[in-house]
Amino acid sequence: MKIVVDTMGGDNGSSVVCAAIIEFKKNNPDIDIIAVGNKEELSCLTGVCTVVESKSVVPMDAHALEVLRMKDSSMMVALDKLISEDADAIVSCGSTGGFLSAATVKVKLIPSVKRAALVAPFPTAIKGKKVVILDVGANNENSAEELYQFGFMGRAYSQAVYGVKEPALYLLNNGTEEGKGSPAVKDAYQLYKTNNFPGFKGNIEARDSLYGEADVIVCDGFSGNVLLKSTEGVAKFFNDELKKMFKKNAITKIGYLHVRKGIKDLRETMDYKNTGGAMLLGANKVVVKAHGNSDARAFVSALDVAKSLCEADIVSKIKEGLSE
Amino acid sequence: MKIVVDTMGGDNGSSVVCAAIIEFKKNNPDIDIIAVGNKEELSCLTGVCTVVESKSVVPMDAHALEVLRMKDSSMMVALDKLISEDADAIVSCGSTGGFLSAATVKVKLIPSVKRAALVAPFPTAIKGKKVVILDVGANNENSAEELYQFGFMGRAYSQAVYGVKEPALYLLNNGTEEGKGSPAVKDAYQLYKTNNFPGFKGNIEARDSLYGEADVIVCDGFSGNVLLKSTEGVAKFFNDELKKMFKKNAITKIGYLHVRKGIKDLRETMDYKNTGGAMLLGANKVVVKAHGNSDARAFVSALDVAKSLCEADIVSKIKEGLSE
């Protein structure tokens, strides 16, 4: 197995990515890593993995076209290496929009896939259980057919990464009854229903999405992005308010000493860093987008996700699902 | 001022609504209330306000057409009274979809309004400050023109209910840069920009929606519903997890004693019951939808919202805004 890593472009510099690669290689000595970036900054990787030089870094707000033009950037060099070395996966924590577009152009979509989808695992109220939600932001709008294809991708992901044999799949909607929702969601419902999609359970509302009944939730990229970011926002809001609350006075500070372990656990449950990153499903290779503000631990998780997806041969699984 | 109240159809029965009316009348002896419902159940309102008999109750999952057919239901009788008595406002905690559709048919939209919008105030990180978000569920999808009209409605609401002179208005989007988003949101951005809409500040992401910069956030009904319900869901998730955490052992239980006041404050901040209810903007009368599970306090808040909107003459304000 061969994984290409774009080491530049994250908020925390290449050093956290280097630390992650060293850690990952300790546990996975047989997996080849090709690290792309500034050679000096990557000198600590000598003897650990292959290092490939790149001259520039894609800025965080770069658009698709800008990225494609920056041929000597770590992101583009990494994508080129992915193809030329016939590697299995690529991981980057650079600009999301730019990376997804450039990866789609370079890696190409699986034939018959209409649109790629960004998939993210969310924490649920059931300890240790994650729910796979897609699309969370690769698209601005999606047709019913695209929403139907996302089902095959999400199912394959849930099976591959979380080992769920028969994932329970729901459509994100503004009500649970059949016949609810936007025209695209209504039509998608009928596609799932009439084709007897395995594990299709109907609609789910956003308020119930984290309660653990669903293994996979399908939505258009715009709503999915709202769901992802509002979950993130409210979680941060609560954390901030809890902190304020405990700092209020001597008594609340003593109170904090008694519950800090629990608060820490809660924070970890809601911490996206533990879930590694989002993956672009529907492309011909494994494409993982680590969080821009990943620390070494988060980047190791992203590498682990890439590894699981390669081991599970997710690309073939999606191809098979779609051809049925 | 005259307010019609549908006393039936809430999760907690008519008794909480009666209690709310009695409380509200104490503070507002000059406002006429017409309470519609089962006469026996409303006997406690004798001498407090006008009581009008109705024979049936709209079930919570009733669709628009079903509601319109139930002519002797408290909801339909209340809507009829709203028109025949030329009352100013109606408040109901019955079926949302049914109530909104029936109200739209009976009360009619303001001429030139393409679609009514359900508006809900959300708590923010700034103590006491609310952000007005619309549409949160009256529509399944919205055009750019509709999103533009929602701006006038949201602005009028923010000015009328929260007294904000120059509300900062944002479009909910999947990124902050101009040019981001779904086709409808992109076009709406241009309408706001080229028409120099007062207070228009651009795009906002869901994660920042509760941080208090925005006074008004405009979105389509589907995304708004996802935002509303995911905020609700994550808030409940946190509350549940906090409870579990504090119940863990004797030490955490002691810890709880020290912070329970703060936890209670936090829960109240996030509690929609304090915000009274959602309003259908764009209709020719004040139409307030109280939460289905409203208690007496929540229903009093809903009556207070109806009162503020009548006092501010919100219907005329929206008409003026749209005619400019």
Side-chain angles (χ1 to χ4, degrees):
Chain A
M1 192 191 303
K2 209 182 270 182
I3 303 176
V4 182
V5 179
D6 166 17
T7 66
M8 317 295 283
D11 300 346
N12 302 315
S14 60
S15 62
V16 295
V17 180
C18 289
I21 291 174
I22 292 167
E23 176 69 22
F24 181 78
K25 277 293 282 186
K26 255 187 229 164
N27 304 322
N28 304 280
D30 297 338
I31 297 180
D32 285 343
I33 300 282
I34 302 174
V36 180
N38 180 304
K39 271 219 166 165
E40 271 172 43
E41 291 185 26
L42 303 189
S43 59
C44 56
L45 293 179
T46 314
V48 176
C49 69
T50 313
V51 172
V52 173
E53 175 82 356
S54 65
K55 302 283 182 201
S56 62
V57 182
V58 166
M60 274 312 270
D61 57 352
H63 292 279
L65 280 176
E66 291 171 61
V67 177
L68 289 170
R69 273 189 218 115
M70 292 183 71
K71 292 196 193 303
D72 61 357
S73 65
S74 59
M75 192 182 280
M76 289 303 288
V77 172
L79 282 164
D80 283 335
K81 280 285 154 196
L82 177 67
I83 307 300
S84 64
E85 298 284 327
D86 195 21
D88 303 282
I90 183 166
V91 181
S92 170
C93 51
S95 153
T96 307
F99 179 55
L100 296 186
S101 314
T104 307
V105 171
K106 283 280 175 184
V107 181
K108 305 256 179 338
L109 296 184
I110 292 168
S112 89
V113 165
K114 291 169 191 293
R115 293 287 190 95
L118 198 61
V119 63
F122 280 60
T124 73
I126 297 172
K127 208 175 157 67
K129 176 164 184 176
K130 299 270 195 284
V131 52
V132 169
I133 306 188
L134 75 166
D135 172 28
V136 295
N139 300 284
N140 287 317
E141 56 171 357
N142 291 104
S143 68
E145 289 73 24
E146 288 157 14
L147 292 175
Y148 184 56
Q149 285 198 337
F150 292 172
F152 292 93
M153 301 180 189
R155 180 176 160 83
Y157 189 100
S158 175
Q159 289 173 329
V161 179
Y162 298 115
V164 182
K165 280 196 183 145
E166 201 53 72
L169 183 143
Y170 290 83
L171 274 166
L172 182 68
N173 208 338
N174 54 12
T176 53
E177 304 90 338
E178 185 177 344
K180 282 270 180 184
S182 65
V185 174
K186 273 188 214 177
D187 291 349
Y189 189 105
Q190 292 307 317
L191 284 173
Y192 280 104
K193 192 182 160 187
T194 52
N195 291 301
N196 291 316
F197 188 93
F200 177 59
K201 304 283 185 199
N203 296 318
I204 195 166
E205 293 184 89
R207 74 157 73 87
D208 299 319
S209 56
L210 303 187
Y211 276 81
E213 317 157 59
D215 294 298
V216 179
I217 297 176
V218 167
C219 50
D220 68 275
F222 194 91
S223 314
N225 197 258
V226 169
L227 180 63
L228 174 79
K229 287 178 182 162
S230 63
T231 301
E232 199 184 325
V234 179
K236 185 170 180 305
F237 182 73
F238 255 77
N239 256 328
D240 293 352
E241 293 295 318
L242 281 175
K243 262 185 223 160
K244 265 192 245 168
M245 186 179 92
F246 286 119
K247 277 186 188 158
K248 229 170 200 173
N249 58 44
I251 291 174
T252 60
K253 278 178 194 162
I254 294 167
Y256 178 64
L257 297 179
H258 292 106
V259 292
R260 63 178 165 189
K261 171 74 174 60
I263 298 274
K264 196 170 159 272
D265 288 349
L266 181 55
R267 209 178 289 151
E268 299 226 321
T269 305
M270 296 303 291
D271 191 346
Y272 287 89
K273 285 182 187 148
N274 292 319
T275 63
M279 188 197 154
L280 190 72
L281 291 177
N284 272 313
K285 303 256 183 196
V286 169
V287 177
V288 175
K289 167 68 184 75
H291 292 280
N293 65 352
S294 289
D295 55 18
R297 179 173 59 91
F299 208 91
V300 170
S301 305
L303 289 167
D304 284 333
V305 167
K307 177 190 156 196
S308 310
L309 292 168
C310 292
E311 281 175 347
D313 201 4
I314 186 96
V315 176
S316 304
K317 294 272 165 57
I318 292 174
K319 278 183 192 165
E320 282 163 28
L322 288 171
S323 67
E324 266 165 27
Chain B
M1 192 191 301
K2 210 182 272 181
I3 303 177
V4 182
V5 179
D6 166 16
T7 66
M8 317 295 283
D11 301 345
N12 302 313
S14 60
S15 61
V16 296
V17 180
C18 289
I21 291 174
I22 292 167
E23 176 70 23
F24 181 78
K25 277 292 283 185
K26 258 187 225 161
N27 304 322
N28 303 279
D30 298 338
I31 298 181
D32 285 343
I33 299 282
I34 302 173
V36 181
N38 180 303
K39 271 216 167 167
E40 270 172 44
E41 291 185 25
L42 304 188
S43 58
C44 57
L45 293 178
T46 313
V48 177
C49 68
T50 311
V51 172
V52 173
E53 174 82 354
S54 64
K55 301 284 181 199
S56 62
V57 182
V58 167
M60 274 315 270
D61 58 351
H63 293 278
L65 280 176
E66 292 170 60
V67 177
L68 289 169
R69 275 190 216 116
M70 292 183 70
K71 292 196 193 304
D72 61 357
S73 66
S74 59
M75 193 182 277
M76 288 304 287
V77 173
L79 282 164
D80 284 334
K81 279 286 155 194
L82 177 67
I83 308 300
S84 64
E85 298 284 326
D86 195 20
D88 303 282
I90 183 166
V91 181
S92 170
C93 52
S95 151
T96 308
F99 180 56
L100 296 186
S101 315
T104 308
V105 171
K106 284 282 176 181
V107 181
K108 305 255 179 341
L109 297 184
I110 292 168
S112 88
V113 165
K114 291 169 192 290
R115 293 288 190 95
L118 198 61
V119 63
F122 281 59
T124 72
I126 298 172
K127 208 175 157 63
K129 176 165 183 176
K130 298 273 193 285
V131 52
V132 169
I133 306 189
L134 76 167
D135 172 28
V136 295
N139 300 283
N140 287 318
E141 55 172 359
N142 291 104
S143 67
E145 290 72 26
E146 288 157 13
L147 292 174
Y148 184 55
Q149 285 197 336
F150 291 171
F152 291 93
M153 301 180 189
R155 179 176 161 82
Y157 189 99
S158 175
Q159 289 173 328
V161 179
Y162 298 114
V164 182
K165 281 195 183 145
E166 200 56 71
L169 183 143
Y170 290 82
L171 274 167
L172 182 68
N173 208 339
N174 55 12
T176 53
E177 304 92 337
E178 185 176 343
K180 281 270 181 184
S182 65
V185 174
K186 274 187 211 175
D187 291 350
Y189 189 105
Q190 292 307 317
L191 283 173
Y192 280 103
K193 190 180 162 190
T194 52
N195 290 300
N196 291 315
F197 188 93
F200 177 58
K201 304 281 185 200
N203 296 319
I204 195 165
E205 292 183 270
R207 75 158 72 87
D208 299 319
S209 57
L210 303 188
Y211 275 81
E213 318 159 56
D215 294 298
V216 179
I217 297 176
V218 167
C219 49
D220 68 276
F222 194 91
S223 314
N225 198 258
V226 169
L227 180 62
L228 174 79
K229 287 178 181 162
S230 64
T231 301
E232 200 185 323
V234 180
K236 184 170 178 306
F237 182 73
F238 256 77
N239 256 328
D240 292 352
E241 293 294 318
L242 281 176
K243 262 185 226 162
K244 264 192 247 166
M245 186 179 92
F246 286 120
K247 276 185 188 160
K248 229 170 200 173
N249 58 43
I251 291 173
T252 60
K253 278 178 192 161
I254 295 168
Y256 177 65
L257 298 178
H258 292 107
V259 292
R260 63 179 164 189
K261 171 75 176 63
I263 298 275
K264 195 168 160 274
D265 288 352
L266 181 56
R267 209 178 290 153
E268 299 227 320
T269 305
M270 295 303 291
D271 190 347
Y272 287 88
K273 287 185 185 142
N274 293 318
T275 62
M279 190 196 151
L280 189 73
L281 291 177
N284 272 311
K285 303 257 183 195
V286 168
V287 177
V288 174
K289 168 68 183 75
H291 293 281
N293 66 352
S294 289
D295 56 18
R297 179 172 59 90
F299 208 92
V300 170
S301 305
L303 289 167
D304 284 334
V305 167
K307 177 190 157 195
S308 310
L309 291 169
C310 292
E311 281 174 349
D313 201 5
I314 186 97
V315 175
S316 304
K317 295 271 165 57
I318 292 173
K319 278 183 191 164
E320 282 164 26
L322 288 171
S323 67
E324 265 165 25

